[in-house]
Amino acid sequence: MTKVALTAAGLYAIVLLRAGGTFGVGWLAGAGARRSRFAGRISSAKFRRVERAIQRWGAPVVALSFLTIGFQTAANFLAGSMRMPLTRYLPALFVGGAAWALVYATAGLGALEVLSRLFAERTELGVAAVAVLVLAVCGAVLYRRRRAAPASDEAVSEES
């Protein structure tokens, strides 16, 4: 087997376990909510209508969520908490997970190959590329934290 096939197979196993686990946690959370003080709210006709729609039409959303960043966990959790039948969820999980694994295996290995060639042929450019990448990630994290900090400071001052 090639590197891409082995990597994709490993990533596929990981995504099936992770997304399936998220679905399971959502299922348990939904079951717990149905037994809690929220039971009255989630037994309304409007909520049941939304639940039926997700059960029926949510599978394509779950499958496509694997091609997004940050939405797939929410989609899998919601599918579980809204009791999407396994006959609809599992095909969506298998198809979406396969797409995710192939995209990440090819893109990830491609990026690693480019970086390894860069390091082998021009070490100083490879080090610079990694440094720029690390600085960009750190900058993005700091930017998000600073942007979120004033909102939390305003909430504290409003409560006072």
Side-chain angles (χ1 to χ4, degrees):
M1 289 180 87
T2 67
K3 285 191 296 186
V4 173
L6 285 173
T7 304
L11 289 173
Y12 190 54
I14 290 168
V15 77
L16 291 179
L17 292 172
R18 185 179 60 85
T22 303
F23 176 86
V25 169
W27 189 281
L28 293 173
R34 286 171 180 78
R35 292 184 187 97
S36 72
R37 64 178 187 213
F38 300 110
R41 291 182 186 166
I42 62 176
S43 63
S44 69
K46 186 176 182 179
F47 185 85
R48 280 185 271 131
R49 197 169 45 250
V50 169
E51 187 176 50
R52 281 192 305 273
I54 288 173
Q55 289 171 350
R56 183 167 183 181
W57 303 106
V61 174
V62 169
L64 291 174
S65 74
F66 286 95
L67 300 177
T68 66
I69 296 173
F71 180 64
Q72 69 180 257
T73 302
N76 283 284
F77 184 85
L78 185 62
S81 67
M82 294 291 176
R83 298 185 195 178
M84 182 184 293
L86 287 176
T87 56
R88 293 185 186 270
Y89 175 74
L90 289 177
L93 172 64
F94 293 143
V95 169
W100 180 88
L102 288 173
V103 166
Y104 276 85
T106 54
L109 285 177
L112 285 175
E113 188 173 325
V114 166
L115 280 175
S116 67
R117 282 187 183 167
L118 192 59
F119 271 106
E121 295 170 9
R122 308 226 26 210
T123 306
E124 65 280 355
L125 285 179
V127 171
V130 170
V132 167
L133 183 64
V134 168
L135 288 173
V137 169
C138 290
V141 169
L142 287 173
Y143 175 76
R144 291 182 93 187
R145 284 186 181 172
R146 286 187 180 155
R147 208 169 134 200
S152 61
D153 290 344
E154 290 173 11
V156 171
S157 65
E158 288 177 8
E159 291 175 2
S160 301

